[in-house]
Amino acid sequence: MTLNIASYNNGSSKVSSIRKQEDIDNLIIKKIASLTINDSKIWTSPKYDRSKNVHRFFQYPAMMVPIVQQTLIESITTVDNSVTTILDPFMGSATSIVAGMMNGLSCYGQDINPLSILLSKVKTHYFDIEEVSKRSIELIKSINSDERLCIEKNFRGIDKWFKVSVSLELSKIVRGIRKCEDIEIRRLFWITLAETVRLSSNDRTSTFKLHIRPLEEIQNRNISANELFEKLLNRNIDDIVSHNKMLLSKMLVGKNGYKKKISILFKNSTEYIFIPNGGIDLLVSSPPYGDNSTTVPYGQHAYLPLQWIDLKDIDESITEDLLSTISAIDRKSLGGKLILPSQEIVDNLFEISPSLRNVIEKLTVTHPDKTSKIICFTNDLYIVLQKCCEAVRKNGYLVWTIGNRRVGGIEIPNNRILIELLEHNGIKLLTEIKRDILNKRMAQRNRSTTTMVTEDILIFRKTF
Ligand SMILES: C[S@@+](CC[C@H](N)C(=O)[O-])C[C@H]1O[C@@H](n2cnc3c(N)ncnc32)[C@H](O)[C@@H]1O
């Protein structure tokens, strides 16, 4: 059932327009409920497709499940066809942005991690396959004929994290990529290199934190970065072909590519969120569940791949200082700086969120050393949430996925805290979905979160 808000609002009184908006809310709630009743696993999605199509270009940590995001967006846009724009201020691997594209929306995404920006730019670009194939053949030829014995990059720890033979091969790929004149295709090559680096370095791939493999394993490991790169590039081209087919079948592509707007910004969302004219109709996002150093080290996971990529090709404003240490990106991320806000700000946070106050009171008794990090993180999160509330237009919808982690054995009720912080800003909770986390690595983000096996999808509407 589709309702057109535009026609609803035409000439209607304020009271009836509020009622109509509530009717739309109810239709969305019913739709979500009926999807859940028809298929109890729909939000868990065992048919999970993180490892399919463009979503496997690079294994970004804590990726959401594409089909789940697509279904959520569809559930809202089919009921409220005034929704034409989507924002994700914590874009990561662009799962919600690509899901927004599949629903024909104009997409606005931002993130603080340069690797997220590169990945998102590649995943949202509509590539000319013939051109990509031609340039790929040229690149592979260039790599295979390159006999130089010179290592293109130099950073602290290069010899620890890469065998010399691997560094020499990665250097040939870097030199070959630089010869390609098309920036979009170069970005596709860089992201293919990023995954090659992830798989050919001496880092164990089993965790998101950097952990060196045992010496014996490194010595016995025979890996060719060039062969790996070629294999991944061919796979990526196949994935782009099927992605293009999907966009074409939905008639979302014109002669200049995707018909709607795509904006991918390298931004710290605590400082700035881009607001298009008329505001955002729908926000779909998943924030970090705590500071990166104690939850998921998104920056650390990106550190080695980014060392091999020419950063200016990702975005002109990215500077080398983000790679000065393995934790530089994580320090700039939500909760990364351990500077306690003023008592006035903390008191205000506690007043807005009794759930935050309660859990901090409990932790003060058992683990007083752990309270500052949670307060700093929540304060940063609240700064972003307030900016999001400004960015979303009146009667726009917000879909947040969030999990409750444990700190010192105590559950941090991120879901309740998020609801309280948003409600204070005129954002009304419509419905909640609980989903199981199937991905083991995600569930066991680290020791303190071993019990995090579910997360919540919270759907809200901005009421004023
Ligand atoms: C849970 S992940 C998002 C995952 C994403 N939904 C996906 O499917 O890949 C959270 C993201 O927030 C980003 N982030 C953390 N602090 C940020 C900040 N201050 N500004 C912008 N992005 C930030 C991280 O870099 C990370 O990519």
Side-chain angles (χ1 to χ4, degrees), residues 224-265:
S224 162
N226 291 355
E227 278 172 22
L228 189 57
F229 178 83
E230 188 172 345
K231 204 168 112 199
L232 290 171
L233 184 56
N234 286 330
R235 189 187 78 177
N236 289 351
I237 295 172
D238 288 347
D239 288 344
I240 293 171
V241 171
S242 28
H243 184 67
N244 282 4
K245 267 191 202 153
M246 237 173 334
L247 288 170
L248 281 166
S249 71
K250 289 174 182 274
M251 290 187 291
L252 294 169
V253 180
K255 66 177 185 333
N256 296 322
Y258 182 62
K259 283 181 182 167
K260 301 290 171 63
K261 190 167 170 45
I262 300 279
S263 156
I264 305 292
L265 296 182

Side-chain angles (χ1 to χ4, degrees), residues 60 62-64 88-93 95 111-113 267-270 286-288 298 332-334:
Y60 198 82
M63 264 186 78
M64 298 194 288
D88 187 347
F90 301 111
M91 177 178 54
S93 62
T95 313
D111 202 286
I112 202 166
N113 184 344
K267 289 285 172 205
N268 182 342
S269 296
T270 58
S286 173
Y298 298 95
K332 284 192 185 269
S333 302
L334 233 56

